[in-house]
Amino acid sequence: LLEGKIMSHCVGTYAEEVLSGHSYIYQVLKPERATLELGLDADEIYIRQCKLYKNAVPSQETMLVIKSWITEFKHLR
């Protein structure tokens, strides 16, 4: 709820999705401040959405950093 308030978007309404294990919400701080929603389908992690303040679209650099982080995580499993 606090993330949604800080970022002026509706991520707080995803609480049930998070509690049920269908969505995972992360706070991205670099290269820019964003809210990341990940999904898990048959052990495959994927990006559902990533939004900046007031639902602005993140930069290509931010998306590359996130994709790299997900790839590293997959290799650790």
Side-chain angles (χ1 to χ4, degrees), residues 45-56:
I45 299 168
Y46 62 96
I47 298 170
R48 284 194 168 174
Q49 60 181 325
C50 184
K51 301 292 182 178
L52 304 181
Y53 182 72
K54 292 190 176 180
N55 289 321

Side-chain angles (χ1 to χ4, degrees), residues 42-75:
D43 284 340
E44 185 64 29
I45 299 168
Y46 62 96
I47 298 170
R48 284 194 168 174
Q49 60 181 325
C50 184
K51 301 292 182 178
L52 304 181
Y53 182 72
K54 292 190 176 180
N55 289 321
V57 177
S59 68
Q60 190 172 19
E61 179 186 10
T62 296
M63 295 307 296
L64 288 173
V65 168
I66 291 167
K67 289 174 184 176
S68 175
W69 176 67
I70 291 170
T71 300
E72 284 183 44
F73 177 78
K74 287 178 182 179
H75 291 296

Side-chain angles (χ1 to χ4, degrees), residues 3 24-28 34-38 47-51 63 66 69-70:
E3 180 72 3
Y24 300 85
I25 305 295
Y26 291 89
Q27 184 184 85
V28 178
T35 305
L36 172 65
E37 180 189 10
L38 297 178
I47 298 170
R48 284 194 168 174
Q49 60 181 325
C50 184
K51 301 292 182 178
M63 295 307 296
I66 291 167
W69 176 67
I70 291 170

Side-chain angles (χ1 to χ4, degrees), residues 5 12 16 19 39-41 47 58 60 69:
K5 186 173 183 172
E16 285 192 35
L19 291 172
L40 183 63
D41 186 29
I47 298 170
Q60 190 172 19
W69 176 67

